[in-house]
Amino acid sequence: MLTQRQLFLKHNAQTSPNPLLLAFTRAKGIYMYDKDDKPYIDLISGIGVSNVGHCHPNIVEAVQLQAQTYMHLMVYGEYVQSPQVNFAKALAEVLPDNLTCTYFVNSGAEAVEGAMKLAKRYTGRAEIISCKNSYHGSTHGGLSLMGNETFKQAYRPLLPGISFIQFNDLPDLEKITIQTAAVFIETIQGEAGIVVPEKEYMQQLRKKCNETGTLLVLDEIQCGFGRTGKLFGFEHFGIVPDILLLAKGIGGGMPIGAFISSSEIMSVFTDNPVLGHLTTFGGHPVSCAAGLATLQTILQGQLVSDVESKGQLFKDLLKHPAILEIRGKGLMLAVAFNSYETNKKIIDACIEDGVVTDWFLHCDNAMRIAPPLIITREEIKTACEIILRNIEKICG
């Protein structure tokens, strides 16, 4: 009889020549457990997903209750489904006044795709601007916006009308013109290795978009829902987007994404043509129930208030000559080393030692640290001890 690992390699599509092949049997809080019940600290939250930890009881209860009430009823937007309505209302209550209309989809990449269509339809313009070293998903449209040729070259031709600016570069903002439908930009760049822009840059970006009638689309798929020490990343910069993209951490582990805008902008999907954007499973009742429970857990547990100090504790504890710098905000951090080879050896050693971390698509010499927001200070100290022990073992 074949093992689970053998069956995985035989029947599941592979995304790399050498997958990690870690096999976990359960997860709880910040920990994942293998078949021998060995605990692993999850320092990446399934890439920014498990903000409230694995199998949080509030999320589990919400999922179970909704699953036994009803699941899929109809494609998104036709029936009044309470889980969708309640989650959309709760999001509107914590967002600025121009972000009150939510379109739920299945993932971050789908949120990007929907927002691209929305921006073109509302403005009547064709050009979209994105940033170098950006990441907006792996669908055809998301890939077109990605600012790294290595990941794009095998799939050309991609969508036309996409141009790129340098992130956090003020002179490049002059490339935004009255021909530009939208600027898609991560509030904090994720796969570039956690690059935090200057406040002045973000405010000048907002100003330039206002002057040219360009929609500002902020991708908070990684940095949203408390990860940076604010509920939403744009709160750090004193600006508000025209369209906000969310996914990953908003579902507490369930698949869901959203693009959010004003009712005026979103209304263009209702006619010419009617049904301007469609999704069968977007806003799935179980995922929306999980999303509402996640938001309530974050707010009621005041999880965001401790994020900045927890991030600072990582920075204070991770001191070693091999560490070049630690970038980021809150619990969205990148620990930079001198090379991919050094970083990968340290990551592999940490995983073997019970701490799961990884690297970034566009910055492979940096280690990702993005644990569940519920991580305690003692757990941070334990994780840092393991990381430092393995840095010392690899680097001396």
Side-chain angles (χ1 to χ4, degrees), residues 244-260:
L244 178 66
L245 309 182
L246 299 174
K248 288 188 181 291
I250 73 170
M254 292 293 290
I256 187 170
F259 57 105
I260 305 173

Side-chain angles (χ1 to χ4, degrees), residues 278-353:
L278 287 171
T279 171
T280 298
F281 291 110
H284 192 280
V286 177
S287 293
C288 283
L292 178 59
T294 299
L295 180 57
Q296 292 172 337
T297 298
I298 289 173
L299 295 176
Q300 294 168 7
Q302 298 184 321
L303 298 185
V304 180
S305 62
D306 289 336
V307 167
E308 186 175 347
S309 64
K310 288 177 180 178
Q312 188 60 50
L313 183 57
F314 271 107
K315 293 177 180 179
D316 292 341
L317 293 175
L318 290 176
K319 304 289 188 182
H320 192 280
I323 296 175
L324 303 182
E325 66 171 330
I326 301 179
R327 300 184 296 269
K329 273 190 178 294
L331 291 173
M332 188 178 182
L333 302 172
V335 181
F337 299 99
N338 63 0
S339 69
Y340 166 75
E341 289 73 23
T342 297
N343 187 36
K344 185 64 164 64
K345 288 176 183 177
I346 294 169
I347 288 170
D348 290 346
C350 286
I351 292 173
E352 184 68 25
D353 212 6

Side-chain angles (χ1 to χ4, degrees), residues 222-249:
Q222 278 200 53
C223 72
F225 260 45
R227 180 142 299 280
T228 66
K230 300 282 188 183
L231 190 57
F232 301 102
F234 62 78
E235 296 178 70
H236 290 287
F237 305 102
I239 63 168
V240 177
D242 299 298
I243 303 174
L244 178 66
L245 309 182
L246 299 174
K248 288 188 181 291

Side-chain angles (χ1 to χ4, degrees), residues 55-71:
C55 291
H56 192 289
N58 295 352
I59 315 305
V60 172
E61 181 182 9
V63 166
Q64 290 174 336
L65 179 61
Q66 186 57 46
Q68 66 187 14
T69 304
Y70 63 81
M71 290 188 275

Side-chain angles (χ1 to χ4, degrees), residues 7 12 61 89 101 147 158 173-174 184 196 198 200 259 275 294 323 327 346-347 363-364 381:
L7 289 169
N12 289 77
E61 181 182 9
K89 177 177 179 290
C101 190
L158 295 169
L173 296 180
E174 292 305 313
F184 278 68
V196 181
E198 297 293 332
E200 181 189 3
F259 57 105
L275 303 175
T294 299
I323 296 175
R327 300 184 296 269
I346 294 169
I347 288 170
C363 183
D364 59 14
K381 291 175 184 177

